[in-house]
Amino acid sequence: MWRNSVGFSSKLLTSKSSYSRLPLLNRGVASRSTSTSAGSGPESTEAAGTVKVGFSSTEWVRTGSPGSSAVDLSSFAAASVLKGRDIVDMAKHYGRCYAELSKARLSMLVVATSGTGYILGSGSAIDYMGLCCTCAGTMMVAASASTLNQVFEVKNDAKMNRTKKRPLPSGRISIPHAVTWAASTGMLGTALLASKANMLAAGLGASNLVLYAFIYTPLKQIHPINTWVGAIVGAIPPLLGWAAASGQVSLNGMLLPAALYFWQIPHFMALAYLCRKDYADGGFRMYSLADASGQRTASVALRNCLYLLPLGYLAYDWGLTSGWFCLESTLLALAISGTAISFYMNRTTKDARRMFHASLLYLPVFMSGLLVHRVTESEQQMTVEHTGKIIEMSPLLETTEEAQEEKRKQSIGNGQRRPPVAYASVAPFPFLPAPSYATF
């Protein structure tokens, strides 16, 4: 009797455990397994009835009973939830990988410079749809170039603490997948620039992609001149925006690219000085690695900071901005030059980091000043017309004044002079008549 009760209890627990796993199994199989695993005796009949929660007949399960439908729906809902979570997790994973491959923050800075160039080249009327298309095309081209850069440098990035957690060195995404992403974004971005802007902008975008991915990237492992080549890469996006808006490359359009070029030198010199060990481990030939004292690195940074000083005056002199920008730009250039002087005198990590942070602040403030104080073509035309009218009217005013003066002199010379007595008689004694004088 004791053995029978123990066997019955064990079978009952087995049936209950199989029922607890029921929603996690496939549809149509779970409900069938509970009735067949209990055996053919009365004990198995009781256990099966316990599992089916009140349904003692197995025919309900086989023929699609209400209990079976509920179990099937619950298992289907559980599978759908799991599949939905897998899709969301996959989307998040690839979204993070694509953002890191594209260097999203750096690409957004490139887009900002391109958009600023577009607004400066638009004149008085800004085509906002064209602005959005230009920024989107620039973003895709920049993402493609950054991805190809990481594809070519995957072994070098794996050796550097700063880059070893990127998607390719960490193995979160494969190289063929990254190449496909780079090719698709590069072609789409160039096509968008060609269709919505013009061929000049598309050509600048495609040439910048080639310059960054296929010239600057391998040059980083060959010669320290890569920093200056990279500065040219950074100077092209604002020129791209200007060309997309105006359809041409003019002297005024070179002002912001010049600022980008000179700004990048102290920015990357500070970064190369701060990350010297990482660059050495990665096998990159940076300028700071051949300068143990840091004096030449600091002097190059200071010299290019000083080149930023006249840009504000040139923007005002060329009619691109008002006079206020000249003052603001000069103060900004003096501020970043002050940090470069401090780095040149001390050459410490603290001073290099201060110059790096100053460079991060300089560029957005400089571009904001350009946009706030920019002078459109209509305002320039009004100023020129007003100045021309003043110049034309000035001889007339001088002629009128000279004529009036000559007329006054003639009236004094030809008119009758009255003795002072007459004025004296009138002024102190108004009740006396003024004396009359006979003329001979």
Side-chain angles (χ1 to χ4, degrees), residues 173-254:
I173 198 169
S174 64
I175 291 180
H177 193 153
V179 172
T180 304
W181 165 255
S184 59
T185 53
M187 289 187 294
L188 286 175
T190 305
L192 183 62
L193 290 173
S195 60
K196 298 300 182 181
N198 50 57
M199 292 303 298
L200 178 59
L204 287 172
S207 62
N208 208 30
L209 191 155
V210 172
L211 182 63
Y212 183 80
F214 299 100
I215 297 179
Y216 166 72
T217 298
L219 198 60
K220 288 169 66 178
Q221 305 177 43
I222 299 174
H223 197 274
I225 201 174
N226 65 79
T227 302
W228 284 265
V229 176
I232 297 175
V233 172
I236 290 179
L239 188 63
L240 185 155
W242 181 283
S246 63
Q248 61 182 353
V249 176
S250 60
L251 185 62
N252 287 353
M254 298 299 295

Side-chain angles (χ1 to χ4, degrees), residues 345-416:
M345 295 176 64
N346 300 320
R347 295 189 296 278
T348 62
T349 303
K350 180 180 179 181
D351 292 304
R353 186 173 288 108
R354 185 182 293 112
M355 185 176 68
F356 180 76
H357 291 160
S359 67
L360 293 178
L361 180 64
Y362 174 86
L363 188 61
V365 177
F366 182 85
M367 292 193 300
S368 299
L370 275 175
L371 295 178
V372 170
H373 299 293
R374 76 185 186 98
V375 178
T376 62
E377 293 180 357
S378 59
E379 293 175 346
Q380 292 178 7
Q381 188 66 25
M382 290 176 59
T383 304
V384 170
E385 290 178 357
H386 183 66
T387 306
K389 289 181 179 179
I390 293 176
I391 294 174
E392 291 175 358
M393 291 177 62
S394 58
L396 297 177
L397 293 174
E398 292 177 359
T399 305
T400 305
E401 292 177 356
E402 290 176 358
Q404 291 178 355
E405 182 68 20
E406 186 65 27
K407 187 176 180 180
R408 189 178 63 84
K409 290 179 178 179
Q410 290 178 0
S411 63
I412 294 176
N414 299 332
Q416 183 179 1

